[in-house]
Amino acid sequence: GDSVTQMEGPVTLSEEAFLTINCTYTATGYPSLFWYVQYPGEGLQLLLKATKADDKGSNKGFEATYRKETTSFHLEKGSVQVSDSAVYFCALSIPNSGNEKLTFGTGTRLTIIP
Amino acid sequence: DVKVTQSSRYLVKRTGEKVFLECVQDMDHENMFWYRQDPGLGLRLIYFSYDVKMKEKGDIPEGYSVSREKKERFSLILESASTNQTSMYLCAIKRDLNSGTQYFGPGTRLLVL
């Protein structure tokens, strides 16, 4: 079945450090790929997405590129801030599958220290 | 903006109680979902619905049922709560038929004693 594997956490970085959170996937079809973020005490928010190979999703300084050859969608940010502290989830869905569900990774908790 | 509300942020129930978790959307979206979130497991789909009175099992439906009598409301029911159902429950809606993007409510943290 479809699955998402993402970097184990927790991850702790200093402010202004470079961030990479790895995500790889296994899918039977041609998935759309997502990064969601969950701030403390809140539900999930869509951070960015990409729907086809070589697409780059970006938002709030975060970027991820859909790499079909390596089945990856790694999340990056050049200079993190304390406000980026949250749990990050990589996810996929298969368009037109009749199921429409999101398959999530286990989440990566990120803590940024001043 | 899409608005998804859940009836409670925190709930404490006793083993064996019947528990209702409600999710309400403010637009005419057809697809609604219930997930549970557990540390180290991510989010797992319990049930989803693609229209009024229509429902489909997700990956972990055991011990749960759902009800969708009106388009805007999707209820998750724990027929007889057990301690292993202590979790965070998240409702989501899917707005765009051509996109997998889902929009989530704030979640209900349920503790079963």
Side-chain angles (χ1 to χ4, degrees):
Chain A
D2 303 329
S3 66
V4 175
T5 302
Q6 65 180 99
M7 190 171 154
E8 292 272 342
V11 173
T12 301
L13 294 172
S14 297
E15 206 166 18
E16 300 183 3
F18 184 85
L19 168 71
T20 300
I21 301 178
N22 290 336
C23 171
T24 58
Y25 67 89
T26 302
T28 51
Y30 296 97
S32 296
L33 301 173
F34 306 83
W35 277 100
Y36 280 83
V37 59
Q38 185 178 37
Y39 297 105
E42 298 183 13
L44 274 69
Q45 301 175 24
L46 177 67
L47 180 59
L48 54 84
K49 68 178 183 182
T51 57
K52 61 183 188 296
D54 299 325
D55 267 3
K56 178 186 280 188
S58 61
N59 186 25
K60 299 182 180 181
F62 291 89
E63 292 183 340
T65 301
Y66 189 143
R67 302 282 187 205
K68 188 178 176 186
E69 63 277 12
T70 54
T71 61
S72 65
F73 193 55
H74 305 321
L75 182 68
E76 296 182 336
K77 187 174 185 182
S79 176
V80 293
Q81 305 301 313
V82 172
S83 57
D84 295 326
S85 298
V87 181
Y88 292 80
F89 292 92
C90 186
L92 67 82
S93 72
I94 308 296
N96 305 312
S97 62
N99 182 316
E100 309 296 351
K101 73 172 187 176
L102 283 167
T103 298
F104 286 88
T106 54
T108 302
R109 182 175 298 277
L110 173 67
T111 301
I112 308 300
I113 53 177
Chain B
D1 272 1
V2 176
K3 190 171 182 184
V4 182
T5 58
Q6 294 184 229
S7 50
S8 305
R9 294 300 301 271
Y10 301 95
L11 271 180
V12 180
K13 297 292 181 180
R14 297 209 173 272
T15 301
E17 280 192 74
K18 191 169 186 176
V19 181
F20 292 87
L21 304 181
E22 294 208 316
C23 175
V24 178
Q25 54 152 321
D26 67 340
M27 300 290 284
D28 201 28
H29 304 299
E30 283 148 356
N31 295 305
M32 299 184 75
F33 305 79
W34 275 108
Y35 295 86
R36 64 177 281 178
Q37 180 184 359
D38 300 288
L41 296 176
L43 277 75
R44 293 176 292 166
L45 181 66
I46 305 171
Y47 268 97
F48 68 100
S49 169
Y50 49 88
D51 208 341
V52 174
K53 296 192 187 295
M54 307 301 281
K55 61 185 180 183
E56 293 283 345
K57 292 180 180 180
D59 298 319
I60 52 163
E62 296 79 18
Y64 303 94
S65 62
V66 290
S67 171
R68 192 157 181 209
E69 297 296 319
K70 293 184 178 181
K71 200 165 197 177
E72 67 270 18
R73 189 179 298 267
F74 189 35
S75 300
L76 179 69
I77 303 159
L78 287 64
E79 297 288 344
S80 178
S82 64
T83 55
N84 63 12
Q85 292 178 309
T86 291
S87 187
M88 169 74 95
Y89 290 89
L90 290 161
C91 175
I93 66 100
K94 184 168 172 294
R95 184 176 70 179
D96 184 351
L97 288 178
N98 295 319
S99 162
T101 304
Q102 294 183 16
Y103 297 86
F104 286 79
T108 296
R109 188 168 292 282
L110 172 66
L111 172 63
V112 182
L113 299 174

